[in-house]
Amino acid sequence: MTPENVEDDLFAERRATGVWTFSDTPNGRYSAARESLVAFKFGGTSLLGAERMRHAANLVRPVAQFMQVVVVVSAMKGVTDRLLGIAQALGEGNSQRARADAEAVLYLHLGVLRDLALDSDDHDRVARELHSLGRDLLHEVSPRNHGLSSPAAAELFDRLASYGERFSARLFAAALEHSGVPAVPVSSSEFVLTCDTFQDAKPHLEQTRQRGREVLLPLLADAIVPVVTGFIGATADGRITTLGRNSSDFSGAIIAHVVDADELVIWTDVDGIYTADPVESAQARLLHDLSYEDAHALALSGAKVLHPRVLPLAQETEMTVWVRNTFKPHVRGTRIAPSPVGAQHCCAPVSKEQA
């Protein structure tokens, strides 16, 4: 979103230009017409533990007062690798290790839930949801899944890999609710329709858009923030798929496209896109504005800016894309839009978190 002191400046700018209209509610508080819609995508580093989840929730809260918001979440950093380790253990016939690792993944998320310090009723409700997911995960590591053939093993891989986002969405929705923002977790497998190329599935965008609007728009109309799992989809017959490693930015763009978001904000662990890697070059400069074409060219060249399919989706609706640092929300970040004023060329990015 826009300049330094981003949220306050953004609100002031949009109030001045009449984007929002306000009316008194029966309880005397003001509510926004919510004419604008923004998608926030949080990577795994941004959600690693209760403190970071609370911090991310506090980035959503002020925006949700004035705009419709949909959130897309990754698994907590390191969780997907642990889940893939479970798949490897099953492939090696090591059921004892697989079960122990699956239990450790469940207890990791239960620990985050404890640290969120929710009200008793909310804690118990979310704990039941996490335990239900945990039982499903443990069912996947049963001996029946040892020594599967290659196609069946690929399906199991995707089912196991999906649990990280599913745990994360429930915890982050709870963190939002605790901060005063109505929110519900939504599994993208409910509406992201893909082919059956497991581990690298391609979404059917038009059908995904139709199905996704049926799921998400009623929630947004009721001022509820959907917290959607990134990374995962499902085949037409309901088998869970994944879009490939490091595809959560693409997931964010898909969800933003589904709901016709005005902006997609990719919250990560770097300040934005640089002229060079600042770790390697003292002359590296943060780029504040890029055109779609510049950013897309960087992605295609192998630079770790965005998933290469993010910008084509954004261009279809002229959506603005921001790359911003979760841990430095006062930093403006990089704005990517159609031919922005002051667009800068011949640049290279800094690497950002895997998610």
Side-chain angles (χ1 to χ4, degrees):
M1 321 215 18
T2 37
E4 270 63 34
N5 301 320
V6 185
E7 281 74 23
D8 290 342
D9 287 352
L10 176 62
F11 297 160
E13 174 185 330
R14 291 188 172 173
R15 286 194 192 102
T17 56
V19 172
W20 296 313
T21 59
F22 297 86
S23 59
D24 287 313
T25 61
N27 63 7
R29 297 178 62 188
Y30 289 98
S31 63
R34 289 183 167 86
E35 294 177 9
S36 297
L37 198 158
V38 62
F40 279 4
K41 178 265 168 181
F42 289 101
T45 302
S46 300
L47 301 175
L48 182 56
E51 183 177 354
R52 292 186 180 184
M53 285 199 178
R54 283 193 295 266
H55 174 73
N58 286 332
L59 295 176
V60 175
R61 184 181 59 192
V63 180
Q65 295 175 23
F66 299 102
M67 304 172 71
Q68 291 180 316
V69 181
V70 59
V71 173
V72 181
V73 294
S74 297
M76 292 194 303
K77 183 176 174 61
V79 168
T80 302
D81 286 338
R82 296 178 74 166
L83 291 165
L84 299 184
I86 292 171
Q88 181 179 353
L90 287 173
E92 295 169 353
N94 192 337
S95 58
Q96 186 174 0
R97 191 184 97 199
R99 185 174 182 85
D101 288 350
E103 290 175 343
V105 168
L106 171 60
Y107 292 135
L108 170 67
H109 291 91
L110 288 171
V112 173
L113 172 61
R114 180 194 63 239
D115 294 343
L116 284 174
L118 306 180
D119 296 338
S120 177
D121 288 347
D122 292 334
H123 176 278
D124 291 347
R125 171 181 55 81
V126 179
R128 286 193 297 271
E129 294 174 0
L130 297 184
H131 277 292
S132 177
L133 274 177
R135 285 192 295 272
D136 290 345
L137 174 59
L138 289 170
H139 181 69
E140 296 287 3
V141 303
S142 65
R144 67 187 176 84
N145 283 329
H146 289 184
L148 294 174
S149 63
S150 183
E155 288 189 42
L156 176 62
F157 174 106
D158 278 4
R159 291 199 305 274
L160 289 170
S162 74
Y163 281 93
E165 276 72 14
R166 293 157 70 187
F167 279 121
S168 183
R170 283 161 175 78
L171 287 170
F172 191 64
L176 278 176
E177 290 250 297
H178 190 59
S179 75
V181 178
V184 293
V186 177
S187 177
S188 53
S189 59
E190 293 182 31
F191 62 88
V192 175
L193 182 66
T194 74
C195 68
D196 61 358
T197 304
F198 295 94
Q199 303 181 42
D200 190 23
K202 301 298 184 290
H204 301 305
L205 291 175
E206 188 54 42
Q207 292 157 291
T208 292
R209 177 180 166 82
Q210 293 171 1
R211 291 156 52 121
R213 291 176 74 81
E214 293 175 1
V215 173
L216 300 177
L217 294 188
L219 296 172
L220 293 167
D222 288 339
I224 297 171
V225 174
V227 179
V228 185
T229 56
F231 183 50
I232 62 178
T235 61
D237 58 359
R239 292 174 293 164
I240 286 180
T241 58
T242 65
L243 305 181
R245 292 304 303 269
N246 303 318
S247 63
S248 62
D249 287 353
F250 182 34
S251 297
I254 291 171
I255 306 310
H257 179 75
V258 163
V259 297
D260 291 327
D262 301 286
E263 297 178 322
L264 166 63
V265 185
I266 295 175
W267 292 99
T268 181
D269 58 359
V270 295
D271 291 347
I273 300 171
Y274 284 79
T275 54
D277 188 337
V279 175
E280 299 177 358
S281 172
Q283 285 73 44
R285 291 182 299 108
L286 178 63
L287 298 169
H288 294 294
D289 291 278
L290 289 171
S291 68
Y292 293 139
E293 291 76 15
D294 288 337
H296 188 52
L298 283 169
L300 288 177
S301 71
K304 295 179 181 178
V305 189
L306 296 170
H307 190 286
R309 297 190 68 183
V310 169
L311 276 305
L313 267 183
Q315 283 181 281
E316 287 190 27
T317 56
E318 297 192 342
M319 183 196 321
T320 298
V321 179
W322 292 85
V323 179
R324 297 191 52 202
N325 193 332
T326 308
F327 310 108
K328 298 180 184 177
H330 59 283
V331 174
R332 180 182 187 270
T334 299
R335 175 181 183 268
I336 305 168
S339 302
V341 175
Q344 298 157 63
H345 301 272
C346 301
C347 52
V350 60
S351 297
K352 67 184 188 69
E353 65 178 327
Q354 293 184 349

